[in-house]
Amino acid sequence: MKRIALGAVLAAGLAACTQDPGFVGASGVREATAAEVAACSYVTDIRMSPGVYGVLADQGVKYARNTIMADARDAGANTVVFDPVTPGADVYELHAVAYRC
């Protein structure tokens, strides 16, 4: 009986994680360059720090980018322009500008 209860708790935990936009991405929002949004309407600026560094840094950046895109969608935007990141450099904060195109 305890095994069934433990399995149910683990399954519920995994289901909750898969709904997190940081893990699954945000539908309806695309990434663009600054030149591509010249005719779009500004919505908001969004900043986020990755939650992990070191060997998990890439996953932390991906999670933060997905979360920013979900936050942009929730604010009414459908396009996001991220500040450029130097390849190989440590990322301590991501910044993006959200637009409605």
Side-chain angles (χ1 to χ4, degrees):
M1 192 63 148
K2 287 183 181 181
R3 286 184 126 173
I4 293 172
L6 178 61
V9 169
L10 288 174
L14 286 174
C17 289
T18 60
Q19 301 304 315
D20 186 333
F23 292 116
V24 297
S27 62
V29 180
R30 70 180 182 97
E31 186 175 344
T33 65
E36 295 173 312
V37 296
C40 300
S41 300
Y42 169 83
V43 176
T44 189
D45 279 66
I46 304 171
R47 295 179 186 277
M48 183 175 187
S49 297
V52 293
Y53 301 97
V55 297
L56 297 175
D58 290 342
Q59 288 84 0
V61 169
K62 182 178 179 181
Y63 182 89
R65 289 173 64 85
N66 286 343
T67 302
I68 286 172
M69 291 180 85
D71 290 348
R73 179 192 60 210
D74 293 347
N78 62 1
T79 307
V80 174
V81 177
F82 285 96
D83 286 355
V85 175
T86 305
D90 291 333
V91 178
Y92 297 103
E93 182 179 69
L94 291 168
H95 171 254
V97 181
Y99 295 91
R100 180 85 187 149
C101 297

